[in-house]
Each structure stands twice: as structure tokens, then as C-alpha cells.
Amino acid sequence: MLHTVRRLAVVATFVAATLAAADDPTYTAVRSARLDGRKISVTNFTFDRDVFHVTLNGTLHLLAPVDNKTFGAVFVGQGSYQLKPASPSEMRQLALYANDDKLEILSDTFDDAVFFAAGLIDAAQKASPAQTGAADSRAASVYDDYVKRQKKDLHTNVHARVLQELLNGSAEPLFFAWVDGKKYPPAVIATDPLGWETLARIGIGMGGEQSVMWVVTGDHNGFWYSSRLRSEIEKGQGVIIPRLADAEHYLIDINIQKAEINGSTTMTFIAGPNVRLLPIELARRVRISSADISPASATPAWTPAAWVQEKYDEDPDASVIFATPLKTGEKYLLKIGYGGKEVLEDAGDGNFSVGARTSWYPNVGVFEDTATYELHFRVPQKFQIVAVGEETENRVDGDSRIAVWKATHPIRVAGFNYGKFKKLSQTDKDSGMTVDVYTNPGTPQIITEINRAIEGVSVAGFDDDEDSGPSGPSLNVDTAKLAQSAMADGINTARTGNAFFGPLAEKRVAITQQSQWFFGQSWPSLIYMPYLAFLNGMQRNTLGLTGIKDFIDEVGPHEFGHQWWGHQVGTRSYRDEWISEGFAHFTAALVVQQTGGWNKYNAFWERQRKNILEKGFKSTITPDQAGPISQGWRLATWQSPGAYDSIVYSKGAYILHMLRMTMQDRSKPIADEAFMAMMREFATTYAGKNASTGDFQRVLEKYATPSLKLTKDGKLDWFFRQWVYGTAIPRYASKIDFQDIGGGKYKISGTITQSEVPADFAAVVPIYVYFDKNNFAQLGKVPIVGSTTQQLNFEIALPKKPQKFAINALHDVLAR
């Protein structure tokens, strides 16, 4: 979301960035280090680091030391590595990537490798002291090839991570190896004591997981392995990795001209331990032009700082380097100037698409770290800004418009939309929330292109008026009319969310149109709706977009649901992402029920069931076979590219649905009373915090109804073991007969069979009685454990003669 600077200024920015990186001599030395002729001969040398076992027979050629520390080496000879996963789920993930169902230990051999691993080098030197001589040409070629791979394949500045270790220090050294194996694709195997996200800044919270195997090229690329240390898993307790910087406030000052941004961000933060190098999150095309540091005070005393930012299409991870270490626990101001072209895309006629969603401004981590924000925008007078928080100023200054938005309570990320807008606003007295809908009256380029494609064709659903000319019909989108639909979705979600999850701290939410067709997104108090949502049904059918009605109906409530799940309550790591996406998807389901009734709610879950169990496009396995929900986005492998959506979204939502149905008590005025109380407490307790799946389980156990307490200890380990950490999904069959025994009573007999599950798999299966097609009621719930058949034999009084009996009528349990 940022762009502005004339061509000369852009050139100056790129030159300044290059000079700033070169201004730090230690970084220059690390980046330019090459083999210096020192070498260590190794025979049957072994090195163990967490789950990795490396064996080397050959020669380690050392890189030139920096600050008297040898941080890297190139190996040439005969080597091998083994990876023994620390958990069953990671063993399963590794087996999927390796396409080996029987895999227990992944092993490969190699002829050369690159190591950034001071611990391995020190151990090798102790076994066999280094000898000096001329640099080996083959080893030099291997290292040069790696540097090219780092730029073109990894796109991760590993040298900056090495520099961080040299400047900040580390209790335990980094272990990083680039290995071109003979059996498996070239890969990074690494153990980083600061957590893998510090090394590969991919913008996704890894929860401090230290050990990884990362394949970055080919069709089978991905994180084959990622885990906490084996020792931590065995103890059941992870090490808390301290933050290098805890941001408290961002003051963002941005100038937008055309589709470019230029400006500065001043971050107020508390320094972590031993910080001289601070990694910065920033979109690769947004280039740093200055960096200054000051102790936090009313009158800052700015000192220039160097920064690292390589070419945008190579390994552009940004970092700021301070002349001296920051004082642990002290508060500082860091001001970064920047500009670039990656944030905004001009979609035509006053429509703009915001690209870099979370990294349009320099930050030290979004979603995981909350802060307050003050955003100042200077834009052309005819355009508007809609941003997070509340607008506190909007005035015209010559040809410019100045807008100020403030988020005075801590939020997880800042976002904005930019363009020409019409505003529709309504305050809903039932929820107490104000919903603003912003639509663009202009015609984006995509519509112009569609009209050219259909030129001369008479098609139902398009308006053929005098403006379209003699060539034929045109697609005219009146987004202002469809704003009413977006408003209705917003208000319905506000009411439903308030009832089930409790009120939000922020009482105003802006729903804004954007020009990307299928992509919706939610920021705190700000929602992006895809342009597709502003086409009516006839227009979508005409364009052949007949299968997306459900997406259109649900995308608004889903994104609004993120105001509770993802923004009010954050997630601890990618393994808990279902608490954001699954919970938001469940919110959409609740709105479907509130607006369309139980039949549409039931149809919603049938679609989710199929989405979980049916093989997707370009998949060799079904989503449920891709792994447990706790694998998060890593579920999307070459064998099942769509599994992340199917499991984290659909199965994540289904878990809440199952809990809701199991906890319902239809004898009470509000059948969902226990479930609603549980969800409200969870939303309140973890407001402003990052919740884990374990946190959710602990709140749920406080409100668990007797039907959920299947074990003597009353814990719900069984439920989470099956549905969050497991992959089994049962199949059911039933045969239920009834006999009229007079006096309004009926004898029920028959069987319910559960199959295709482990011996300890438990479920609570509901029995329903149908009096006619649309009139049915739940009779009770039957617990079943394992693949077995449960006998039914009981008598019951009914108000009228039943037509039939059935199980699982409302998709109460996810089943095949």
C-alpha cells in the first residue's frame, strides 16, 4: 500500500540503499567472504544437531573469518545426512513429501554442501586442525553456486542472519546447511536457536520452531519438516524466545502520487537482549532511503543507522544495524524513510488494488505483536483514504488531501484502501456497531477488458443502452446498488457475532470495495471485499461464474468474522491458524443460519464435508489425508495443493459446529447457552493476546456439557487428539426400526455402526425422529468408541406417529 517518488528520487533511493548496506563493514565482510585456503580433512566425522545427523568424509574448505570468527565452510567429498522427525505428525508430513508411506528416517547422500555452522566447524577443527594452502577451485565454485541460489531460489538473506549472530551473539550457534542430495531435491536443513522465522522471513508466524528442512525448487518444494526441538517436545514445554523488539506505537507518514508511495515510519519499541542488528519486515519493492535511531523522548536525539536491503528480485530481507548494542528493556524510536512501487496497482478509473498487505510499512512483526497506530496520508485531492481506526482529520491543502487515521488501542496490523469512493453508513442499534460501506463509482480496467471481449454479442444480464453504441451490449456494474447487500451482510454479522462471541472493542467497521476479483481480506475495523462481490447474479452467470454464489454469500461474513478471530483474538503460530480462519468460516455459517434457516445451514456443512473428503484439482490424495489441522498452511503439498483451505477453513469450522451441536440443550430457552458462554469467555479472555489450541481447549473444558465428558477426568484430550491433531474421519451406518406399543409410546430397536477409525476414536452420535420431511427432532445422543456396532433398544413417548428415524441429520459429526 505505498508508492510515491519521481524517477530521480527512485534512483537516489536505490543508490542510497546500496551505499547504506556497504556502510556497515561487518556486513560487507560477511557478504563478500570467500574461501581463504584453510581446509580441514575429515574422516567419519559426525555432527548432531537436534533431529539432524551429518556424516562427512572429505574436506571442509573454510570461508575467511569475520571479526576472528569462522562462520562458514564448503564441504567436498562424500557426505550424508539423516533426519529423524521428533513427532508422528512431522514424520507423516515428511513421508508425504518424500512419497514414501513407510518412511521413518529420511536419509540422503551428497558430494558437496555449504555450511553456516560455527558449531560444526569448531568440532571439526578440534578433531583435525585446519591446514593452510591455496583455495580449492571446485569448492569455490560450489560456494558461488550457492550464493546464486540464495538470491534466485531462497530469496532469503542468510548472510544477514549470520551477521545477526556475529553482532547480537547467541547462546547456541546457528546450524544451516545447503545440501544438493542425490535422492531428494536440493534443500536447506537448519536449526536456528532464534526460531526459523528469523532466518527465512516468510511473513508467517512459525511459533519459534527451530528445526526445518526446506525444499525451495521444483514441484515438491515446501517445508518438508518444521518443529520445535526434540528435547522440548519430549518435555512438553517450549523455550520462550525473547523478541528483539516489542513495538508499542507506529507513526506512519505517507505521500501517495499515482501508484507510488513515499514516506517514513517512526516506530516506538522496547529493545530485547543484545540487539545490534534488527530484522525489519518490508515489501521487497519498497526501498529504504534512511534509518535513524534515538532514545524515546519528547525531543529525539537522532543517530544515523546503517541498513541491509539487497536487490528486490534477489534476497532483499531488510535489517537495520546500530553502531552500538541497544540497552535491554530500554525504549527507543526508530525512524525509517522509504518509497516504492509494490504496494498499489492502478486498476483504472479511480480504482486501486493494494498489494503488499502486511509489509507496506517497516515493522517488526504483524499479527503477533500489537501496537497503536497514527497514520498520516497526503494524496491527490480527488482521492480518499479508508484506513484502520478512526479518521480524525480530513482536509484539502491545495491540490492535496490530508487524512489522519488513529488506532488508539493496540491492534495487530495497519491497512488502508485508496481510491474514489461513495460512502454508505448505518448504525445498528441491536449490535451497537456502525458499518460504513465504501464503493467506487468508476469502471476498473478489468470491466473494460470484459466489455471488449463480449463486444457485438447479445447476452442476457448486460445493459444495452445508447452509451454502449452500435457494437453491442456492455457490462455496467452499479456498485452503489450492491453496497446495500454488503451493508446487510455487515449488520447481520455484527448481530450474530455479538450474540455468540460478545461485543467488539471497536464499534465501527468499514467495508471497502477493491479491484481484485476473488480476494477478500480483513484488517482491524477495515474489510476488503473482492470486486466479484459487486456483480449481480445474472452478470456472474453471463460470465460463466456459476459456481461461486456460495463464495459471494459467505465472503463478507467470513471477513467480518475476522474482527473477532484473527484481530481481537490472535493465534500463537501457524499451527493454531484454524482459530482465525476456521472460526471466521464458522461465523459465516452462523450468518447463513440466521438469514437462511437450518436447511441452508445444513447445506453449508454438506459443502464443507465434501470439501474435506473429495479429491481436489491436481491432487493425488484427498484433503483429509494431507494431515491434521495442526499442520496449518503446510498442509498444501504437491500431493494436495488445496488441502490448507479444506482443512484449516472447512474442517476448522466443522470442529466448532460439532462442539455446538454436542453442547446444545434443547430443553433450555436458548439451546446454545453453554456454547455461547464458552465462546464469549474465549473471545474476552484472549482479547489482545495470541491464543493457542491448548488455550481454547482449557476454556472449552470449563463449559463442557456432560455429553462431551467421555473420560473420567472430564478433560477433552480425546476430542482434540482426534479432530485437531488427528486425521481419522468415521463412516456411519444405521438401521433403526420402531414399533407402536400403544399409549403414544414406541419401542426403538436397531444398530448404529461406526467404522474406519482407531480403537480409541470416540464420537457422540445423535438420533433424530422425523414426523414429516421438514419436521424432525433430536431424541438423544449415543456415545460410540472405536470401529464397532452399538445396539439400540429403548422405549420412548412421542407426540405423534413417527415416519422414520435417522442419525447425524444436521451434520452433527463430520463423517464419510
Side-chain angles (χ1 to χ4, degrees):
M1 310 165 181
L2 303 160
H3 304 77
T4 128
V5 253
R6 294 181 180 165
R7 186 174 180 183
L8 286 176
V10 173
V11 171
T13 298
F14 274 83
V15 172
T18 303
L19 291 175
D23 279 346
D24 184 78
T26 312
Y27 176 73
T28 302
V30 170
R31 186 78 175 186
S32 60
R34 292 298 184 269
L35 305 184
D36 65 357
R38 293 177 300 147
K39 59 193 71 176
I40 304 172
S41 296
V42 288
T43 303
N44 292 327
F45 172 76
T46 61
F47 182 80
D48 292 285
R49 189 69 183 274
D50 190 35
V51 293
F52 300 109
H53 177 74
V54 177
T55 301
L56 303 177
N57 284 281
T59 305
L60 279 168
H61 302 267
L62 306 185
L63 295 179
V66 175
D67 288 348
N68 297 317
K69 297 176 183 176
T70 299
F71 62 86
V74 175
F75 170 77
V76 176
Q78 294 179 332
S80 66
Y81 72 88
Q82 292 183 331
L83 165 53
K84 186 177 181 180
S87 66
S89 62
E90 285 304 314
M91 186 175 294
R92 192 176 190 282
Q93 181 91 22
L94 199 58
L96 279 173
Y97 267 115
N99 200 25
D100 182 355
D101 292 340
K102 298 181 180 179
L103 184 142
E104 294 184 359
I105 299 176
L106 185 142
S107 302
D108 204 354
T109 58
F110 52 87
D111 295 331
D112 52 63
V114 172
F115 293 100
F116 296 121
L120 180 147
I121 295 168
D122 289 345
Q125 284 184 313
K126 289 178 181 178
S128 177
Q131 304 296 315
T132 59
D136 182 81
S137 59
R138 179 185 168 188
S141 177
V142 169
Y143 189 73
D144 288 342
D145 178 69
Y146 162 74
V147 172
K148 292 177 183 177
R149 294 265 197 152
Q150 177 176 303
K151 296 176 180 180
K152 301 301 181 184
D153 295 331
L154 271 70
H155 296 289
T156 294
N157 194 338
V158 182
H159 293 101
R161 174 63 186 91
V162 170
L163 178 65
Q164 182 178 351
E165 181 166 291
L166 293 174
L167 296 181
N168 294 8
S170 178
E172 192 169 2
L174 168 72
F175 169 74
F176 175 99
W178 172 259
V179 182
D180 192 351
K182 296 182 178 181
K183 183 177 181 181
Y184 298 110
V188 170
I189 59 172
T191 297
D192 188 338
L194 297 182
W196 173 241
E197 57 262 55
T198 305
L199 179 58
R201 288 183 241 158
I202 52 179
I204 302 171
M206 299 291 285
E209 293 181 354
Q210 301 101 323
S211 291
V212 295
M213 176 180 177
W214 181 24
V215 173
V216 297
T217 60
D219 295 335
H220 297 182
N221 67 82
F223 286 85
W224 286 35
Y225 180 84
S226 180
S227 176
R228 281 278 187 166
L229 300 177
R230 183 190 299 279
S231 59
E232 296 180 20
I233 292 175
E234 290 174 351
K235 293 177 183 177
Q237 185 175 3
V239 173
I240 297 176
I241 300 172
R243 300 187 65 87
L244 295 179
D246 182 9
E248 291 187 342
H249 181 72
Y250 289 92
L251 173 61
I252 301 173
D253 196 343
I254 292 297
N255 182 13
I256 300 177
Q257 292 292 333
K258 296 182 180 179
E260 298 183 4
I261 64 99
N262 191 9
S264 67
T265 290
T266 302
M267 177 180 68
T268 305
F269 70 97
I270 297 173
N274 305 316
V275 177
R276 270 202 64 200
L277 182 145
L278 180 64
I280 299 293
E281 296 296 329
L282 187 63
R284 60 178 59 238
R285 283 186 180 269
V286 180
R287 310 303 294 177
I288 297 175
S289 56
S290 64
D292 296 276
I293 186 75
S294 170
S297 66
T299 55
W302 297 108
T303 300
W307 68 89
V308 172
Q309 190 179 37
E310 297 293 337
K311 294 179 180 179
Y312 76 86
D313 58 349
E314 294 185 350
D315 50 349
D317 295 335
S319 300
V320 176
I321 305 169
F322 308 116
T324 58
L326 303 184
K327 295 180 181 179
T328 305
E330 293 290 316
K331 190 175 294 187
Y332 290 89
L333 302 176
L334 175 62
K335 184 176 184 179
I336 298 177
Y338 53 96
K341 295 183 176 181
E342 188 179 71
V343 176
L344 288 172
E345 179 182 349
D346 189 343
D349 205 8
N351 289 270
F352 286 85
S353 177
V354 180
R357 302 305 179 88
T358 60
S359 53
W360 62 272
Y361 60 97
N363 64 78
V364 289
V366 297
F367 290 105
E368 296 178 356
D369 187 25
T370 60
T372 55
Y373 285 82
E374 182 173 337
L375 302 96
H376 295 242
F377 297 91
R378 177 179 286 270
V379 302
Q381 187 269 337
K382 61 183 177 180
F383 293 112
Q384 294 169 271
I385 290 287
V386 186
V388 296
E390 292 277 353
E391 187 177 54
T392 60
E393 184 178 348
N394 190 326
R395 60 184 175 87
V396 173
D397 181 15
D399 294 335
S400 299
R401 180 180 301 277
I402 295 173
V404 178
W405 291 74
K406 294 182 179 181
T408 55
H409 64 270
I411 58 176
R412 300 179 183 280
V413 62
F416 72 95
N417 206 350
Y418 172 64
K420 295 179 180 179
F421 298 112
K422 286 185 178 180
K423 178 181 176 182
L424 177 68
S425 184
Q426 183 175 332
T427 299
D428 176 50
K429 60 180 176 58
D430 291 337
S431 64
M433 295 194 68
T434 298
V435 178
D436 298 328
V437 179
Y438 292 85
T439 54
N440 189 299
T443 301
Q445 185 63 31
I446 184 67
I447 297 298
T448 303
E449 292 173 2
I450 289 173
N451 284 333
R452 287 173 183 166
I454 64 174
E455 195 171 275
V457 181
S458 179
V459 189
F462 295 95
D463 297 326
D464 190 3
D465 55 29
E466 59 182 8
D467 293 331
S468 64
S471 58
S474 63
L475 177 60
N476 296 321
V477 181
D478 187 348
T479 55
K481 288 182 181 179
L482 293 170
Q484 293 287 351
S485 176
M487 175 67 73
D489 284 344
I491 289 176
N492 286 331
T493 310
R495 293 175 179 176
T496 301
N498 273 19
F500 274 82
F501 316 135
L504 292 166
E506 181 59 62
K507 300 303 180 185
R508 181 183 297 274
V509 173
I511 300 173
T512 67
Q513 171 196 329
Q514 68 164 348
S515 299
Q516 291 180 331
W517 272 100
F518 289 95
F519 193 76
Q521 189 171 13
S522 179
W523 276 285
S525 74
L526 174 65
I527 294 170
Y528 270 2
M529 287 289 284
Y531 197 85
L532 196 61
F534 292 90
L535 301 182
N536 63 38
M538 188 175 294
Q539 291 168 335
R540 296 197 302 268
N541 289 340
T542 302
L543 293 175
L545 303 171
T546 56
I548 62 168
K549 183 180 184 303
D550 295 327
F551 168 77
I552 297 303
D553 291 343
E554 296 158 14
V555 64
H558 175 100
E559 298 303 340
F560 203 117
H562 277 306
Q563 297 302 310
W564 286 272
W565 313 115
H567 292 310
Q568 176 169 300
V569 177
T571 55
R572 187 76 59 83
S573 78
Y574 74 95
R575 295 186 181 275
D576 309 298
E577 191 66 17
W578 72 285
I579 293 175
S580 174
E581 297 297 352
F583 280 43
H585 207 45
F586 176 75
T587 305
L590 290 176
V591 176
V592 167
Q593 182 202 338
Q594 299 300 318
T595 58
W598 279 95
N599 286 340
K600 287 193 174 180
Y601 183 69
N602 206 24
F604 177 95
W605 295 115
E606 176 60 16
R607 292 197 306 275
Q608 308 316 306
R609 189 186 72 84
K610 290 180 178 179
N611 195 29
I612 296 164
L613 295 173
E614 293 181 358
K615 191 179 294 184
F617 181 64
K618 291 186 177 180
S619 295
T620 61
I621 58 176
T622 57
D624 65 293
Q625 295 173 315
I629 198 171
S630 56
Q631 292 299 101
W633 52 266
R634 292 176 57 222
L635 289 160
T637 68
W638 66 275
Q639 295 203 24
S640 187
Y644 167 68
D645 286 352
S646 299
I647 301 302
V648 172
Y649 285 65
S650 295
K651 188 179 179 184
Y654 219 122
I655 288 173
L656 286 185
H657 170 64
M658 289 191 290
L659 289 171
R660 179 195 183 192
M661 300 307 290
T662 304
M663 294 173 72
Q664 276 189 345
D665 185 346
R666 289 178 171 82
S667 67
K668 294 185 176 182
I670 301 177
D672 288 314
E673 179 182 345
F675 178 79
M676 294 166 74
M678 180 272 296
M679 293 297 287
R680 287 179 191 145
E681 175 159 333
F682 182 58
T684 302
T685 301
Y686 290 94
K689 301 176 183 177
N690 299 320
S692 68
T693 298
D695 294 328
F696 177 62
Q697 178 179 339
R698 283 185 285 275
V699 174
L700 175 60
E701 286 173 344
K702 291 177 61 176
Y703 292 88
T705 54
S707 56
L708 268 178
K709 296 180 179 179
L710 301 187
T711 57
K712 291 182 179 179
D713 60 7
K715 301 289 185 181
L716 297 182
D717 294 345
W718 68 271
F719 183 89
F720 286 83
R721 183 175 61 250
Q722 292 173 186
W723 295 110
V724 177
Y725 307 113
T727 59
I729 295 177
R731 186 183 299 278
Y732 292 107
S734 63
K735 182 178 180 182
I736 305 176
D737 298 317
F738 65 95
Q739 178 182 356
D740 188 342
I741 57 177
K745 290 186 176 183
Y746 296 85
K747 182 178 181 181
I748 314 299
S749 60
T751 59
I752 301 175
T753 299
Q754 177 174 269
S755 60
E756 301 182 28
V757 293
D760 61 348
F761 188 98
V764 182
V765 183
I767 303 174
Y768 290 86
V769 55
Y770 281 77
F771 300 108
D772 56 49
K773 182 178 180 181
N774 295 314
N775 184 12
F776 60 95
Q778 188 183 112
L779 286 184
K781 301 167 184 176
V782 179
I784 304 179
V785 180
S787 292
T788 187
T789 296
Q790 184 79 31
Q791 298 290 330
L792 299 178
N793 191 358
F794 61 91
E795 295 180 2
I796 191 171
L798 297 173
K800 57 191 296 186
K801 183 178 179 180
Q803 297 296 313
K804 67 173 183 177
F805 291 82
I807 63 169
N808 218 23
L810 294 177
H811 291 80
D812 309 69
V813 181
L814 174 59
R816 300 185 182 280

